[in-house]
């Protein structure tokens, strides 16, 4: 059965099948609602029911309050309050073959992969979005770590996951020219057009989309004040020196690396990265925050920053969640 879903306050509407989630139906209609993990873990896709009813993940029906569009299906015509991004409507998802150009272990548990994209194929995306990597029937999602197809390349940063299917494939003598496939781009994690100062908050390989975002801003000659906080468990996790270079070359960029684990050889900031931000700023009411990392880090950061005056609609996040299979 098909139902009509209307988005508030834009009044954009689309038809949704009762067997499809609200988010999937929207994306099939090229309507980009805010989302990240798509499996119910991160909470980014929260919407509020104005009228109508949905069936949530546990099978219960709900006709008021908040729900997750990625795990809920319509039971009626719906009106919902939700973020909608028309700027993504012209970005076409593509399934393209790619070949490994280089594979480097940049930390004890992080691979930097560069993929060559066929010259006759174009992958258009916004810095901060992610792609699905498919190899030997295993599919995993990774953020794109470069702002554009420089020399026809896509850069991904892959963290080793113990007993992970993709980790077993990629961290085992991967050869140059190995053929894989990319599908995307996906996600609503991108820099909003504004003049407000920005805090980028990265945990581990959550640095990847932050790197792409900053590169994109630099290409636009952005003059917004930019603060980059990168939190890692050990010094080895700071596997890229680009933020230090940016801060040295641009007066509007400040870089604050934070180490939470083994700090014997570390002379910089220590502790949890979101606490470093809270310690540095008494009032966040004028800022935009872009956070990428674990759901635990993102949730803790959001709660802490809201207490510092950050506006709820100025906190943007992309949560790295574990694969279900």
């Amino acid at each position: 059965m098909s139902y009509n879903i209307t988005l508030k306050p834009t009044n954009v509407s689309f038809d949704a099948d009762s067997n499809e989630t609200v988010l999937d139906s929207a994306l099939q209609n090229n309507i980009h609602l805010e989302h990240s993990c798509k499996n119910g873990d991160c909470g980014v896709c929260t919407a509020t029911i104005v009228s109508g009813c949905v069936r949530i993940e546990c099978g219960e029906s709900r006709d008021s309050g908040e729900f997750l569009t990625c795990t809920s299906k319509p039971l009626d015509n719906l009106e919902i309050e939700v973020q909608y991004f028309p700027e993504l409507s012209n970005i076409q998802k593509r399934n393209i073959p790619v070949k490994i150009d280089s594979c480097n272990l940049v930390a004890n548990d992080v691979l930097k992969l560069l993929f060559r994209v066929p010259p006759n194929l174009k992958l258009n995306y916004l810095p901060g979005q992610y792609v699905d990597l498919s190899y030997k029937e295993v599919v995993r999602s990774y953020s794109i770590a470069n702002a554009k197809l420089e020399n026809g390349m896509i850069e991904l940063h892959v963290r080793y996951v113990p007993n992970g299917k993709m980790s077993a494939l990629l961290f085992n003598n991967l050869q140059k020219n190995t053929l894989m496939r990319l599908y995307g781009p996906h996600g609503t994690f991108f820099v909003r057009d504004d003049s407000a100062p920005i805090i980028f908050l990265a945990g581990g390989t959550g640095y990847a989309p932050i790197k792409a975002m900053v590169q994109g801003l630099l290409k636009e000659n952005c003059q917004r004040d930019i603060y980059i906080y990168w939190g890692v468990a050990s010094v080895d996790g700071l596997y890229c020196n680009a933020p230090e270079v940016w801060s040295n070359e641009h007066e509007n960029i400040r870089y604050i690396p934070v180490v939470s684990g083994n700090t014997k050889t570390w002379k910089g900031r220590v502790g949890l990265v979101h606490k470093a931000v809270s310690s540095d700023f008494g009032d966040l009411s004028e800022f935009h925050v872009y956070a990428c990392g674990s759901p635990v880090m993102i949730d803790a950061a959001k709660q802490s920053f809201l207490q510092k005056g950050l506006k709820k609609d100025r906190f943007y996040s992309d949560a790295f969640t574990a694969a279900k299979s």
Side-chain angles (χ1 to χ4, degrees):
M1 185 174 293
S2 181
Y3 297 109
N4 181 262
I5 298 180
T6 301
L7 312 181
K8 295 294 184 179
T10 61
N11 285 324
V12 171
S13 65
F14 60 94
D15 291 331
D17 191 282
S18 59
N19 293 319
E20 298 281 352
T21 67
V22 172
L23 177 60
D24 283 342
S25 293
L27 293 176
Q28 288 168 15
N29 283 276
N30 200 30
I31 293 173
H32 295 264
L33 307 184
E34 188 164 24
H35 67 279
S36 180
C37 73
K38 294 184 69 176
N39 59 27
D41 289 336
C42 71
V44 168
C45 69
T46 299
T48 301
I49 296 173
V50 177
S51 66
C53 187
V54 297
R55 182 173 67 252
I56 59 178
E57 188 174 23
C58 65
E60 297 178 0
S61 61
R62 180 171 297 173
D63 60 9
S64 63
E66 295 183 339
F67 70 99
L68 299 180
T69 63
C70 76
T71 58
S72 302
K73 301 174 182 180
L75 290 174
D76 196 355
N77 292 332
L78 282 173
E79 288 188 354
I80 60 175
E81 291 182 354
V82 67
Q83 287 277 1
Y84 159 57
F85 302 105
E87 53 263 67
L88 296 175
S89 60
N90 293 324
I91 295 181
Q92 180 183 5
K93 290 181 173 59
R94 306 198 66 173
N95 192 327
I96 59 175
V98 293
K99 289 186 177 181
I100 293 286
D101 187 77
S102 65
C103 175
N104 295 304
L105 191 67
V106 293
N108 291 331
D109 61 349
V110 178
L111 277 178
K112 174 184 172 182
L113 300 178
L114 282 179
F115 293 91
R116 295 195 307 276
V117 177
N120 61 323
L121 296 177
K122 182 180 180 181
L123 183 65
N124 186 26
Y125 61 93
L126 294 181
Q129 291 190 288
Y130 68 91
V131 290
D132 295 329
L133 176 66
S134 177
Y135 180 47
K136 294 187 176 180
E137 299 184 351
V138 179
V139 180
R140 295 291 183 267
S141 299
Y142 299 103
S143 295
I144 303 171
N146 54 321
K148 68 173 186 177
L149 291 181
E150 298 167 315
N151 300 317
M153 300 285 187
I154 285 284
E155 179 180 336
L156 304 181
H157 299 170
V158 180
R159 182 178 66 86
Y160 178 79
V161 177
N163 302 314
K165 292 181 180 179
M166 188 63 88
S167 292
L169 294 173
L170 299 183
F171 283 78
N172 187 22
N173 298 317
L174 195 62
Q175 299 297 310
K176 183 173 182 177
N177 292 321
T178 299
L179 179 65
M180 302 184 187
R181 299 196 74 87
L182 295 179
Y183 178 64
H186 306 289
T188 57
F189 194 54
F190 62 92
V191 178
R192 276 57 170 177
D193 188 17
D194 201 281
S195 60
I198 298 174
I199 293 173
F200 288 112
L201 185 71
T205 51
Y207 164 73
I210 302 303
K211 173 177 176 288
M213 288 170 150
V214 176
Q215 284 182 339
L217 291 172
L218 290 175
K219 291 178 187 299
E220 297 170 358
N221 195 30
C222 173
Q223 298 303 307
R224 298 167 71 175
D225 285 335
I226 295 171
Y227 300 84
I228 303 169
Y229 285 79
W230 188 4
V232 295
S234 64
V235 178
D236 178 70
L238 301 170
Y239 56 82
C240 178
N241 69 348
E244 186 174 358
V245 173
W246 296 331
S247 66
N248 289 334
E249 294 182 349
H250 302 275
E251 291 184 357
N252 62 318
I253 297 180
R254 298 164 184 81
Y255 171 48
I256 304 92
V258 183
V259 176
S260 64
N262 186 353
T263 60
K264 290 182 180 179
T265 61
W266 177 244
K267 305 300 182 182
R269 300 284 291 274
V270 298
L272 298 178
V273 66
H274 76 280
K275 289 188 176 182
V277 176
S278 294
S279 175
D280 290 348
F281 297 94
D283 182 8
L284 293 173
S285 60
E286 299 301 319
F287 284 83
H288 285 204
V289 174
Y290 295 85
C292 186
S294 71
V296 172
M297 183 205 80
I298 288 174
D299 185 62
K302 185 175 183 179
Q303 298 308 314
S304 177
F305 297 170
L306 291 178
Q307 293 176 8
K308 290 281 186 174
L310 180 72
K311 295 179 176 63
K312 185 177 181 180
D313 61 355
R314 289 185 170 188
F315 184 89
Y316 313 100
S317 64
D318 186 15
F320 284 177
T321 58
K324 297 294 186 181
S325 61

